[in-house]
Amino acid sequence: MNWGPVNSDPSVHDSGAGRAARPWWQVARRRFSLIGFALCALLLVWLGLQVLIAALLRMQGVNTGAMPTWLQLIAGNGPLYALAMPIAVLLMRAVPRIPTRKFPLGVGRFFILLIICMPIMYLGSLIGSMLSAALSGGTADNPIQELATNADPLTVLVFMVLVAPVFEEWVFRKELIDRLRRYGEVPAMLVSAAAFGLFHLNLFQFFYAFGLGLVFAYVYLRTSRLCYTILLHMIINFNGGFLAPRILSLLDAKTLQALESGSLQESEQLLAQAAPGLLVVGVYGLAILALIIVGIVLLITMRRRVVWYRTPEELPRGTRLRIVAGNPGVVCYVVLCLAVMAVTMGVIGLRG
């Protein structure tokens, strides 16, 4: 998808003054490490404040499990948006950003990208669910599914569809890519997508978040406009977190059990009563299946239209892995995220 070079104007890049005494690869490695430590700070501040708030509420005799979902989200994610993410961005300022020209994204190309996201989302979700079940012995719970199913519609719309995409795209697309794109578009895209996937702290979401993160990062690299990735993110979250659970809720537990067991003859009356809901679910399922198929075809046919532009400080091949991933900050972020994943899935047990 050739939308013009983002970094074609040499005037938008810094000259590297003041760094002559230090080898280029040390500067690059240090900057990737600073980004990794900033992401570690994001997680530590967020999780630490979650624990502190929960402890304070228990000291006051508040049963956090009985609180409304919207209040639980404010207590749990409020520190993330109000403190953890801004602190991480402040720390990232040690890595200078480079201004880039902005390019428009047409409506047609936007919807092509949206359709391409569909197979990535559902295939990634399937892989994450299967791997989580295998590693946890089937005991791991999908936190996003529980939230989407149990929360009231307004809470889902506010937190999942409106708030989360804005903050997540700000940090994982704009801040990361603006500061790392000087070292190559592919390394910047991979770091953005991997950091975004790990940030979800569970395998259920990691694979599709990583895949979608690649698409979102490429869109931002080609346009330098955050509004497009925010809108894509919002639509994806609306479908997966709001629309799909409410369509499936049209079928009650007995109907779903009858469908899963295949005992249709024994449940003809039950299925007849659920016919309107079955029709809506069937139409929705067929529409999603069609979009997945079309998305796969688009992925295959349009892969040759993906364009990468060389940046002034492009990392040479053979050095990228060592510089991008082989530094203390990025290693610490990966290890911290994997440790939290292991604990939440029960792979590492924490017993008092």
Side-chain angles (χ1 to χ4, degrees), residues 183-235:
Y183 297 114
E185 293 187 336
V186 172
M189 180 185 70
L190 291 174
V191 170
S192 170
F196 178 61
L198 289 168
F199 163 77
H200 289 79
L201 301 178
N202 65 82
L203 284 179
F204 288 101
Q205 294 174 272
F206 170 76
F207 292 97
Y208 76 75
F210 175 73
L212 293 175
L214 293 175
V215 177
F216 296 165
Y218 184 75
V219 171
Y220 185 73
L221 282 166
R222 293 280 70 80
T223 66
S224 293
R225 293 186 178 182
L226 201 61
C227 59
Y228 298 129
T229 66
I230 289 175
L231 186 55
L232 283 170
H233 199 154
M234 285 181 173
I235 294 173

Side-chain angles (χ1 to χ4, degrees), residues 112-125:
I112 287 174
L113 288 162
L114 180 61
I115 295 172
I116 285 174
C117 287
M118 300 305 287
I120 294 174
M121 178 176 64
Y122 283 99
L123 179 60
S125 180

Side-chain angles (χ1 to χ4, degrees), residues 51-64:
V51 172
L52 178 61
I53 291 172
L56 291 175
L57 290 173
R58 284 196 297 269
M59 289 175 59
Q60 298 299 319
V62 177
N63 182 3
T64 55

